[in-house]
Amino acid sequence: MAYAYRSHPWRSCPEAEGRALRHPVLIAGGGPVGLTTALELAAYGIPSVVFEDGDRVSEGSRGLCWAKRSLEILDRHGVAKRLIDKGYTWNTGRLFHGEQEIYHFVLQEQGSHKFPAFVNVQQYYAEEFLVEAVERQPLIDLRWRSKVVDVRPGPDGVVLEVETPHGRYSAEGDWLVAADGTRSAARRALGLDFQGDTYEDCFLIADVKVHASLPKADRRFWFHPSFHAGDTALCHKQADDQWRVDFQLGPEVDREAEKAPEKVIARVRKMLGDHPVSVEWASIYTFQGRRLERFRHGRVLFAGDSAHQVSPFGARGGNSGIQDAENLAWKLAFVIQGKALEDLLDSYDVERGQAAAENIRLTGRSTRFLTPKSPAERIFRDAVLHLAEKHLFARGLVNSGRLSVPTVHEGSPLNTETDFEGGVLPGEPCPNLLMEHGYLLDRLPRDFVGLAFGPAPDLPFPVIAMPMQAASAFAAAPGTFYLLRPDQHVVARWQDPDLKEILAAHARALGG
Amino acid sequence: MALVTTPNLRDPDGFYEALMELHEGLSPEESAALNARLVLLLANHIGDEAVLEEAFRAARRPALVQHSP
Ligand SMILES: Cc1cc2nc3c(=O)[nH]c(=O)nc-3n(C[C@H](O)[C@H](O)[C@H](O)COP(=O)(O)OP(=O)(O)OC[C@H]3O[C@@H](n4cnc5c(N)ncnc54)[C@H](O)[C@@H]3O)c2cc1C
């Protein structure tokens, strides 16, 4: 059964009726990143208006692998459980050369984890669950069929021109989060360009249903598959017993011919067996590794695909966008609430710019391994594959995508460095340890918080008393203290700090 | 540790002969593939990135005086 899209109607709003309002935050785009930003802001008590051009959630084969950190972020909005219940969870990837499995890699060992390394769910479900959460949240005004056609930034606010089926209106806000995707209207209105690379190779990507009971399988990736004349192929299981298949086609292809269902079905049957197959969606993609140079332009903040675009090998697109949303929301909320100066928002650009650079570098390297650009590159790539069958060292060189893990904001201006070996690094998210009273992240407030292994001084934010059983993950001894930001990332850690040191690190993490 | 470019092979002629025998009867493509495997194996054995970078530089500029092509 194909996904049943719900069409969301346009609804009138004060601006459409000629009443001018001033909103704290406007959000352009109701994709995963815009919706997550709105939910995160609401969790800090900040209302927002989301303008979404479409009347429905995402079409077709886009994001499917949602990473552990995204699940941790979305869990705070009740969305992670929906994804897990609906999707296919996995922790292992298998790599083949021709017909032979050369090795498999384990992203997360068995243990008392709240979340798997990944859950596969079609993007339309992820967005549907986000929309449900948004509809439960009175602080969010989600406006469907509302297209941002112009953005006029000012020194202390932004005016949007919004086009609806019932005409245009202007909307005013103090801040704009531009989460309007790769073809961002906000980027265009501000005259900003993406910089980076475009890759030549075309990939056929399809969601298919195979009408047979196939064994469950985690991520499978083939180099020189025996069933396909191209360089690589990839297969994932996802929700509703569908499979995501991906065939590398090379630089020049007849896009329409390749998308024809008969042709897709023939390819899938060679891959997954001679079963009846139906095609839910098929598209031909080429990929980019590009970004905006800066993500903050005064009162306009870019997040998700409007700020950066990567090839999907490694599932770093949507997952990094969700981290953008989390990183941005607390900072914007603290600035709006007067708890921090505006400069704190520059650290959003620094930290998420660092993440984008890392994601572009890593996905670029993967793409290069999959699509050798010269005879020499091909010779080395194939040499690696041959050696990997027998020699462990060569497996580390095989690159079918380095799967999304959260960026460690090393060297962030918000961190305070101390003499401390091991444990969780400044700029790294807090691990979700299972403790006596449940998972650690479930206990963290929407504020700075201390984790104290032993007595702690009186502080202007909450402190959680940590049991010594949790010490090893934190390289903690009695007296160890960790300071976390509202987005659960470590600011600093000490052995026996005094009050002044902690307060100084807290002030620094608020932008100085 | 620096890249060793002074004589380090006990039996240079013997090594050279063995290397040539390795390539005997191979097509240019097969030889190129074999060389690539060899580079990868040796690079992993060396492990030290600074030494490898020095070797990259030395391989790129083999002579003090550039020969005209
Ligand atoms: C083949 C493929 C596979 C992928 N696989 C993965 C994966 O496994 N994991 C992963 O994390 N990511 C994956 N991605 C990437 C992921 O789909 C994107 O990174 C993600 O959708 C970005 O979210 P976003 O909210 O920034 O942008 P979008 O999802 O593009 O959302 C932007 C929204 O803004 C709306 N909009 C656009 N212009 C306007 C306007 N002018 N006014 C109002 N609204 C507007 C659009 O209608 C849309 O709803 C994949 C992508 C592709 C193409």
Side-chain angles (χ1 to χ4, degrees):
Chain A
M1 191 190 70
Y3 178 72
Y5 281 94
R6 182 173 142 211
S7 168
H8 299 269
W10 178 80
R11 288 213 173 81
S12 191
C13 56
E15 286 90 343
E17 288 157 16
R19 276 185 291 141
L21 286 179
R22 173 104 177 186
H23 303 280
V25 183
L26 309 174
I27 299 175
V33 177
L35 296 173
T36 305
T37 305
L39 287 166
E40 283 282 299
L41 284 168
Y44 293 98
I46 305 291
S48 63
V49 184
V50 182
F51 301 88
E52 167 55 45
D53 179 20
D55 72 332
R56 61 191 57 207
V57 295
S58 178
E59 305 260 351
S61 323
R62 299 178 70 207
L64 79 152
C65 305
W66 307 100
K68 181 176 181 165
R69 182 65 197 154
S70 297
L71 292 169
E72 289 169 358
I73 294 168
L74 298 177
D75 194 31
R76 296 179 121 181
H77 309 287
V79 173
K81 187 173 182 315
R82 295 282 275 137
L83 290 167
I84 299 277
D85 288 349
K86 183 75 202 173
Y88 178 76
T89 59
W90 60 280
N91 292 295
T92 308
R94 300 190 180 281
L95 278 146
F96 299 82
H97 186 199
E99 277 178 5
Q100 185 172 351
E101 178 170 336
I102 41 182
Y103 73 97
H104 68 272
F105 56 84
V106 178
L107 297 170
Q108 176 166 275
E109 299 289 348
Q110 300 244 312
S112 48
H113 307 291
K114 185 164 187 189
F115 296 113
F118 281 94
V119 61
N120 289 352
V121 192
Q122 294 88 319
Q123 186 158 335
Y124 41 76
Y125 280 119
E127 292 184 19
E128 175 189 316
F129 303 154
L130 283 164
V131 168
E132 280 173 11
V134 162
E135 286 172 346
R136 288 194 297 268
Q137 178 48 265
L139 290 175
I140 305 173
D141 176 359
L142 170 54
R143 301 184 184 175
W144 298 95
R145 305 190 70 183
S146 303
K147 180 179 188 166
V148 175
V149 289
D150 196 20
V151 175
R152 289 192 298 277
D156 53 11
V158 183
V159 181
L160 301 184
E161 207 50 37
V162 182
E163 196 174 86
T164 77
H166 299 270
R168 284 190 176 203
Y169 63 80
S170 304
E172 279 181 47
D174 295 335
W175 298 91
L176 170 67
V177 178
D180 49 350
T182 53
R183 285 193 280 272
S184 170
R187 223 175 48 225
R188 206 175 332 112
L190 269 63
L192 301 169
D193 277 330
F194 262 169
Q195 297 167 350
D197 298 320
T198 298
Y199 309 112
E200 277 188 349
D201 271 56
C202 296
F203 292 80
L204 167 68
I205 299 185
D207 287 339
V208 300
K209 194 137 189 173
V210 180
H211 303 273
S213 64
L214 297 181
K216 289 194 169 193
D218 293 354
R219 181 185 195 262
R220 283 178 292 172
F221 195 101
W222 291 265
F223 289 96
H224 302 305
S226 54
F227 52 81
H228 167 58
D231 270 281
T232 69
L234 170 64
C235 178
H236 273 291
K237 188 169 167 57
Q238 48 185 359
D240 294 344
D241 280 320
Q242 284 186 26
W243 299 79
R244 165 66 59 85
V245 295
D246 177 324
F247 297 90
Q248 188 176 345
L249 301 179
E252 269 151 44
V253 302
D254 179 342
R255 289 172 171 251
E256 287 314 306
E258 289 296 346
K259 279 198 303 196
E262 320 79 72
K263 188 129 193 207
V264 176
I265 288 169
R267 288 191 190 283
V268 173
R269 291 176 66 163
K270 281 207 230 159
M271 177 192 250
L272 294 176
D274 232 349
H275 310 291
V277 171
S278 52
V279 179
E280 301 289 325
W281 181 272
S283 36
I284 308 280
Y285 287 100
T286 54
F287 298 117
Q288 285 87 29
R290 304 187 298 175
R291 60 173 288 194
L292 275 178
E293 192 183 340
R294 286 184 299 122
F295 296 172
R296 178 178 180 206
H297 291 263
R299 293 275 170 149
V300 183
L301 298 137
F302 289 85
D305 277 12
S306 75
H308 46 73
Q309 214 189 340
V310 295
S311 75
F313 300 99
R316 287 171 177 267
N319 287 306
S320 68
I322 288 171
Q323 291 169 55
D324 289 349
E326 177 194 44
N327 190 294
L328 178 56
W330 75 268
K331 294 174 181 174
L332 200 48
F334 273 52
V335 169
I336 291 169
Q337 290 162 344
K339 296 184 199 163
L341 296 176
E342 229 182 278
D343 293 350
L344 178 61
L345 290 166
D346 289 334
S347 74
Y348 166 72
D349 172 65
V350 172
E351 294 184 339
R352 295 315 297 169
Q354 175 192 34
E358 176 176 299
N359 290 321
I360 289 171
R361 185 171 65 248
L362 296 182
T363 51
R365 287 173 174 175
S366 303
T367 308
R368 186 163 196 171
F369 195 84
L370 306 187
T371 62
K373 281 191 295 214
S374 68
E377 287 198 12
R378 178 171 296 279
I379 287 167
F380 274 104
R381 197 278 302 275
D382 291 344
V384 166
L385 293 172
H386 281 115
L387 289 170
E389 286 171 27
K390 196 158 148 207
H391 300 289
L392 290 180
F393 86 90
R395 295 180 187 175
L397 298 171
V398 177
N399 191 342
S400 72
R402 301 291 180 220
L403 286 145
S404 174
V405 285
T407 300
V408 178
H409 297 301
E410 202 189 331
S412 163
L414 304 191
N415 297 349
T416 295
E417 294 298 332
T418 57
D419 256 340
F420 196 107
E421 287 288 312
V424 190
L425 303 173
E428 190 175 351
C430 178
N432 200 7
L433 294 188
L434 179 58
M435 307 203 308
E436 211 182 327
H437 302 291
Y439 284 94
L440 177 54
L441 296 188
D442 294 346
R443 297 178 55 195
L444 301 185
R446 291 277 181 183
D447 196 352
F448 284 82
V449 57
L451 304 180
F453 293 84
D458 253 350
L459 289 160
F461 46 78
V463 174
I464 294 176
M466 295 289 286
M468 283 320 287
Q469 292 94 292
S472 74
F474 291 88
T480 297
F481 188 90
Y482 274 72
L483 175 59
L484 307 183
R485 324 190 313 197
D487 63 0
Q488 308 178 334
H489 287 247
V490 172
V491 169
R493 65 268 172 82
W494 300 265
Q495 214 51 261
D496 287 317
D498 61 35
L499 179 66
K500 257 175 54 195
E501 284 176 293
I502 299 174
L503 292 178
H506 179 231
R508 186 180 164 88
L510 280 169
Chain B
M1 207 184 72
L3 180 70
V4 179
T5 57
T6 50
N8 196 32
L9 295 162
R10 197 181 43 78
D11 174 10
D13 290 349
F15 158 74
Y16 194 77
E17 186 175 33
L19 186 62
M20 292 309 107
E21 274 169 9
L22 203 56
H23 283 273
E24 231 163 67
L26 299 188
S27 67
E29 291 75 29
E30 287 164 341
S31 270
L34 184 145
N35 278 336
R37 293 197 291 273
L38 202 55
V39 167
L40 294 168
L41 284 160
L42 295 175
N44 181 64
H45 177 83
I46 292 166
D48 184 327
E49 274 126 32
V51 174
L52 290 169
E53 264 171 43
E54 239 189 287
F56 288 174
R57 279 199 300 275
R60 186 183 265 277
R61 295 194 186 286
L64 287 176
V65 181
Q66 290 294 308
H67 300 281
S68 48

